[in-house]
Amino acid sequence: MASGLFKQFDLLEGKLPRGSPAKLYAVVQRARAILLGRTTKQVSAAAEAIDWFIEEYFEAEKTSFIRRILEHGGWELGYLDYEYRTEAGLRDLLDNWSSEEDQQPPEYPNRYNTSKFDALVACIDNYAIGNDSELPGAKLHEYFAVLALWKVADCIRSLDPPEKMRRFRKIADQFPSELDKLIPEPVFLTTQEQAVTDLCEALESICWAEHLQDTAALQEQIQLLHGELEESGRQGEEKAAEIARHRISVTASKAAIKRHAEHYAMKEDVWDWCEDNLHNYKSMEKAAEAVIHTYKLVPVSVRTARDWIREHVKLLQNYPH
């Protein structure tokens, strides 16, 4: 969960580690200026919402991609027997793309090829953020300021990864063939390279936040100075109302956001268990059975636990080391 990172760096009050890049200090100062007056609880709620927005965006993009293939055809169908050329079959193919295939993985926005910044830009207009009860009077630029601070936390984590992430080699050596199937062409970034990537995304986010803030302020000034455009303004409001009717209410989505957080908390419990216990099992299936039947760690199915373990190993493969 996004908030898990913030144990290492409080977004509103946390201090950067000694020796952090100078630009990180500038990003933190600029982002906190935008969020002045907000509480830690409000900022954490915004981070949880951002995390949910992005996950929903990636899932929607995958679903849209699958349905386009089913409707218009695509080379991906050649990897499936006729009876499996369904939405479920294609989803399973995409989720488990093997490095043994002679094609690169299909291209659609996902967490491995799309930054959090790009994903949030693409999806945030789908939500009526102003009615979020946990962030009263929320503005677009505030969400991007929160994301900027989130990427600062990522940068700190990249420069000083937790001990459990340094154990990746042991896990990677235990499941080399399965990892090859999960990630066709792993790209390893050094901690410094990943930190630079995180810093660039933090800069993108804070610059976009300031752009949105300046644009909003300019629009307010124009409205004050040009009262004669009232009629045009009414037409604009009608258009805005039409758009609003098609937007997803953040308030209505709040329960889903909370479920997402609870779901992710259970997933993190399984991931933490993996750090200490996965090396004791010969397969992910056996490990998943132990999680559910032996340790009774979380109230989910063995298949779900196995998928979480698989995702954990896959994410560690991409983590800088």
Side-chain angles (χ1 to χ4, degrees):
M1 185 62 208
S3 57
L5 292 173
F6 310 149
K7 297 175 183 177
Q8 187 174 356
F9 176 71
D10 185 280
L11 296 190
L12 288 183
E13 300 178 356
K15 295 183 179 180
L16 293 171
R18 186 183 300 274
S20 296
K23 288 190 180 297
L24 278 187
Y25 288 92
V27 171
V28 169
Q29 185 178 30
R30 291 157 64 185
R32 287 175 177 172
I34 289 176
L35 296 169
L36 188 64
R38 292 299 188 182
T39 66
T40 297
K41 182 177 180 180
Q42 289 173 336
V43 170
S44 296
E48 287 189 355
I50 290 170
D51 192 48
W52 186 76
F53 294 161
I54 291 174
E55 288 298 317
E56 288 294 296
Y57 167 70
F58 286 147
E59 186 61 28
E61 286 297 312
K62 181 193 293 184
T63 298
S64 177
F65 179 76
I66 289 171
R67 290 174 180 173
R68 284 199 303 273
I69 292 176
L70 292 175
E71 182 177 355
H72 302 292
W75 57 266
E76 296 86 356
L77 294 174
Y79 291 94
L80 293 171
D81 292 335
Y82 184 80
E83 62 269 26
Y84 294 109
R85 295 179 182 181
T86 62
E87 186 168 330
L90 271 171
R91 187 177 298 277
D92 185 65
L93 176 68
L94 296 179
D95 289 342
N96 300 281
W97 193 265
S98 172
S99 61
E100 298 173 359
E101 310 295 0
D102 56 3
Q103 288 274 5
Q104 291 293 315
E107 285 292 331
Y108 60 91
N110 59 69
R111 71 174 67 182
Y112 303 110
N113 63 18
T114 304
S115 69
K116 289 182 175 68
F117 170 75
D118 288 336
L120 189 60
V121 169
C123 73
I124 196 167
D125 281 341
N126 294 329
Y127 299 91
I129 61 171
N131 64 8
D132 186 351
S133 61
E134 293 188 316
L135 192 67
K139 305 294 184 184
L140 279 177
H141 54 267
E142 291 181 303
Y143 282 88
F144 284 94
V146 171
L147 180 59
L149 291 172
W150 181 346
K151 295 311 297 181
V152 168
D154 279 345
C155 186
I156 295 172
R157 186 182 177 91
S158 296
L159 290 172
D160 185 23
E163 177 60 30
K164 67 179 183 179
M165 303 306 289
R166 299 190 183 104
R167 302 179 197 167
F168 168 68
R169 278 297 181 190
K170 181 185 293 185
I171 298 175
D173 291 342
Q174 186 158 356
F175 299 105
S177 60
E178 294 197 52
L179 288 175
D180 286 343
K181 294 177 182 179
L182 288 172
I183 305 175
E185 291 188 3
V187 177
F188 291 99
L189 297 179
T190 66
T191 54
Q192 289 187 340
E193 288 171 336
Q194 184 61 53
V196 169
T197 299
D198 294 330
L199 174 56
C200 289
E201 194 172 345
L203 287 168
E204 278 187 304
S205 300
I206 191 58
C207 288
W208 190 247
E210 290 171 340
H211 164 72
L212 292 173
Q213 186 180 42
D214 291 344
T215 300
L218 181 60
Q219 288 174 340
E220 289 180 4
Q221 292 178 9
I222 291 174
Q223 289 177 352
L224 291 174
L225 295 173
H226 298 280
E228 66 273 15
L229 296 179
E230 184 176 354
E231 180 61 27
S232 297
R234 281 199 294 268
Q235 294 177 358
E237 290 174 1
E238 291 173 359
K239 180 64 176 178
E242 178 64 22
I243 294 174
R245 282 194 289 271
H246 292 87
R247 284 184 170 178
I248 304 168
S249 168
V250 171
T251 298
S253 303
K254 189 60 64 176
I257 293 175
K258 294 301 182 186
R259 286 195 300 272
H260 175 76
E262 293 170 359
H263 175 89
Y264 205 103
M266 290 192 293
K267 184 188 293 186
E268 283 196 324
D269 288 342
V270 173
W271 287 1
D272 288 340
W273 179 92
C274 287
E275 296 299 333
D276 297 322
N277 299 281
L278 186 57
H279 64 276
N280 295 322
Y281 297 88
K282 295 182 179 180
S283 70
M284 295 184 188
E285 182 70 30
K286 293 295 184 183
E289 290 175 355
V291 166
I292 301 306
H293 299 310
T294 304
Y295 289 85
K296 302 185 185 301
L297 190 60
V298 289
V300 299
S301 67
V302 172
R303 178 175 180 179
T304 297
R306 185 186 64 239
D307 289 344
W308 288 351
I309 294 172
R310 181 185 295 272
E311 182 181 352
H312 174 65
V313 174
K314 184 175 179 180
L315 288 173
L316 287 181
Q317 175 78 355
N318 277 329
Y319 197 87
H321 57 284

